[in-house]
Amino acid sequence: MTTMTENASGLREFKMPDVGEGLTEAEILKWYVQPGDTVTDGQVVCEVETAKAAVELPIPYTGVVAELHFPEGTTVDVGQVIIAVDVSGGTAPAQAPAAPAVPAAPAAPVVEAAPAEEAKPQGRKPVLVGYGVAESSTKRRPRKGAEVPAQQSETLYAATAIQGELNGHGHAVQQRPLAKPPVRKLAKDLGVDLATVTPSGPDGIITREDVHAAAAPAQAPAPVAAPAPQEAPARVQPQAPAPAASYDGARETRVPVKGVRKATATAMVGSAFTAPHVTEFVTIDVTRTMRLVDELRQDKDMQGLRVNPLLLIAKALLVAIKRNPAVNASWDEANQEIVQKHYVNLGIAAATPRGLIVPNIKDAHTKTLPQLAESLGELVATAREGKTSPAAMQGGTVTITNVGVFGVDTGTPILNPGESAILAVGAIKLQPWVHKGKVKPRQVTTLALSFDHRMVDGELGSKVLADTAAVLEQPKRLITWA
């Protein structure tokens, strides 16, 4: 997507970029610059929170900040201008010949000016988390009309590039109303023809509010009795929503659903009502595992690493997956196929101030115990700092959620979308347990494994849970089974 535009006065507008993960909006958490500040190519100008993580956004050119288009705390759609920078000090000489060239010879100057403008975005492109925005050829299409004046051509190009790419069908979008897919779905659900809706969004884009406004008059007569006059619905309708919308501010607090919380809610609802969940439980004696944890903390090869029960639980699950590889799969609804994964990207559910996230350890099955401990430590530290990248949360295959840290025995976890299984670990407590024929105090915990019953049968799920439990009861199986 084109993330910058420039007008004749040398003012460059930087748009909210698309990180390439299918996200459509981001919230501006903090501005690091103010109007009048000088910025340089690659300087971080703000921190934004997408639906997956908080990331810093660098600007791809040098100049003076002219305007911040949105205050902190505003949710901005991908493609909207967020900051304007005056770069006339560095680019004015290069652009000076372009202005007089238009009246003298309209065709030739426009052909030469277009590549000059296009060459700038193709140089350094803004990134969010270490990778650039994908190249796009759609921005060239609106420039075929050489007869259009420079200012009008640039306006047409900017609007077409943003609108076309946001809607996924290039410059042809001018042939139908401009709206993003979620808005189109809303209009379809409410029975609203987008061609009859007056847009209020930037560049003529139809927003959710426009659709609701268009739907309100059509829906108003529905609840009114047939014999009632037409004026009655108009009087009754404004009064009905008023009591429903009011609430006691002293007794209630309304928190906007956005960012990570919004993404989590969408993912959990989608998972719960798409994958048929089955959850199995097992309570086990992990006294030997806890002793091994204490021994590993004293081992010189583990010095400086985070050694805790979660480390051995993760290793036990990896051994169980190796013994039952069919559990490591995903469901391809479009092709009606089960995709077997020959790698394990082990997700670790982490509670952060911004909400629940599930980063994963790539190729966890290949790591030694010290390497796994190092990866776990880095994952947890990055999550707590709120610096987990979207890439770190993509491609997970199986997840562990440690609810025991909150003192609860276990839970029935919901699958991370696209994954086949999730293991919940309860609190490890000293409890009476029959050991070698006698009741003794032992370290006991409960494991719960939820799996997608479309591709994981009860037998397979039971074997995975039983093998994980067996390793934790007898940690020497880490050697004999691995």
Side-chain angles (χ1 to χ4, degrees):
M1 172 180 289
T2 303
T3 54
M4 63 188 82
T5 58
E6 181 175 0
N7 56 33
S9 64
L11 195 67
R12 304 193 81 171
E13 295 179 329
F14 181 67
K15 305 168 188 172
M16 181 69 72
D18 181 0
V19 299
E21 301 289 348
L23 305 178
T24 60
E25 62 185 16
E27 178 186 355
I28 299 175
L29 295 180
K30 184 177 182 181
W31 282 108
Y32 296 122
V33 296
Q34 295 297 326
D37 292 351
T38 299
V39 294
T40 57
D41 183 3
Q43 178 180 338
V44 174
V45 295
C46 66
E47 182 183 21
V48 302
E49 182 185 43
T50 68
K52 300 185 178 185
V55 291
E56 293 180 331
L57 186 62
I59 201 159
Y61 34 73
T62 299
V64 178
V65 178
E67 182 181 2
L68 305 181
H69 286 259
F70 296 96
E72 295 176 356
T74 304
T75 298
V76 182
D77 290 338
V78 169
Q80 285 191 283
V81 176
I82 60 174
I83 182 174
V85 177
D86 185 359
V87 297
S88 58
T91 59
Q95 294 181 347
V102 174
V110 172
V111 172
E112 293 178 0
E117 291 185 14
E118 290 177 0
K120 293 172 185 175
Q122 292 177 0
R124 177 186 177 91
K125 292 204 171 185
V127 297
L128 287 182
V129 286
Y131 51 88
V133 180
E135 295 288 343
S136 174
S137 60
T138 55
K139 60 185 178 183
R140 297 175 179 269
R141 297 176 185 172
R143 297 183 178 274
K144 291 182 179 179
E147 296 77 17
V148 181
Q151 183 175 0
Q152 182 180 351
S153 174
E154 181 165 305
T155 302
L156 175 62
Y157 163 70
T160 306
I162 296 173
Q163 297 164 4
E165 294 188 37
L166 282 174
N167 291 277
H169 33 69
H171 65 286
V173 296
Q174 295 175 333
Q175 299 176 359
R176 64 172 180 165
L178 301 175
K180 288 184 281 187
V183 179
R184 293 186 182 279
K185 183 178 184 304
L186 175 64
K188 181 179 179 181
D189 294 341
L190 296 179
V192 175
D193 183 0
L194 288 179
T196 65
V197 178
T198 302
S200 64
D203 302 310
I205 295 177
I206 296 174
T207 66
R208 287 178 174 273
E209 290 71 18
D210 298 334
V211 174
H212 283 299
Q219 294 174 352
V224 182
Q230 293 183 347
E231 293 77 13
R235 299 190 192 99
V236 176
Q237 183 64 19
Q239 297 175 358
S246 63
Y247 63 95
D248 189 349
R251 294 163 58 87
E252 300 175 358
T253 299
R254 295 185 175 236
V255 180
V257 179
K258 56 185 179 180
V260 175
R261 174 57 58 193
K262 182 177 181 180
T264 300
T266 302
M268 292 299 97
V269 169
S271 176
F273 292 97
T274 300
H277 285 55
V278 172
T279 305
E280 295 185 339
F281 307 88
V282 62
T283 302
I284 56 173
D285 177 2
V286 292
T287 304
R288 292 185 179 91
T289 291
M290 298 305 292
R291 289 174 183 167
L292 180 57
V293 169
D294 292 336
E295 293 174 5
L296 288 173
R297 286 171 177 165
Q298 307 302 320
D299 193 297
K300 63 178 182 179
D301 293 330
M302 304 295 288
Q303 292 299 311
L305 298 176
R306 186 183 182 90
V307 179
N308 55 22
L310 180 61
L311 172 62
L312 294 185
I313 293 169
K315 195 65 176 177
L317 179 58
L318 290 172
V319 170
I321 293 172
K322 183 178 180 180
R323 288 168 56 85
N324 304 275
V327 76
N328 191 42
S330 63
W331 183 269
D332 187 340
E333 181 67 28
N335 296 313
Q336 287 295 293
E337 295 175 340
I338 295 175
V339 182
Q340 298 283 350
K341 307 294 179 64
H342 304 302
Y343 59 90
V344 181
N345 290 345
L346 183 62
I348 304 295
T352 72
R354 292 190 176 97
L356 176 68
I357 62 174
V358 189
N360 60 75
I361 300 172
K362 309 298 183 186
D363 295 321
H365 65 293
T366 65
K367 297 183 181 294
T368 63
L369 195 63
Q371 291 172 340
L372 188 61
E374 182 179 6
S375 298
L376 272 172
E378 293 175 354
L379 180 148
V380 172
T382 303
R384 286 178 176 173
E385 294 171 1
K387 301 298 182 181
T388 302
S389 68
M393 293 183 281
Q394 297 296 311
T397 60
V398 177
T399 291
I400 296 176
T401 176
N402 186 10
V403 297
V405 296
F406 304 110
V408 299
D409 292 332
T410 190
T412 54
I414 297 177
L415 293 167
N416 202 30
E419 299 183 9
S420 59
I422 178 171
L423 179 70
V425 182
I428 300 175
K429 301 178 180 179
L430 195 64
Q431 296 183 14
W433 192 264
V434 178
H435 177 67
K436 296 181 179 180
K438 296 182 179 180
V439 177
K440 297 182 179 180
R442 305 285 288 182
Q443 298 282 354
V444 176
T445 190
T446 299
L447 305 178
L449 182 72
S450 292
F451 50 86
D452 186 342
H453 213 354
R454 292 176 298 180
M455 52 187 161
V456 180
D457 295 332
E459 179 186 9
L460 177 58
S462 299
K463 286 182 177 179
V464 173
L465 183 58
D467 284 352
T468 303
V471 172
L472 294 175
E473 286 183 322
Q474 296 285 349
K476 66 181 181 182
R477 292 192 173 104
L478 287 171
I479 300 174
T480 59
W481 285 2

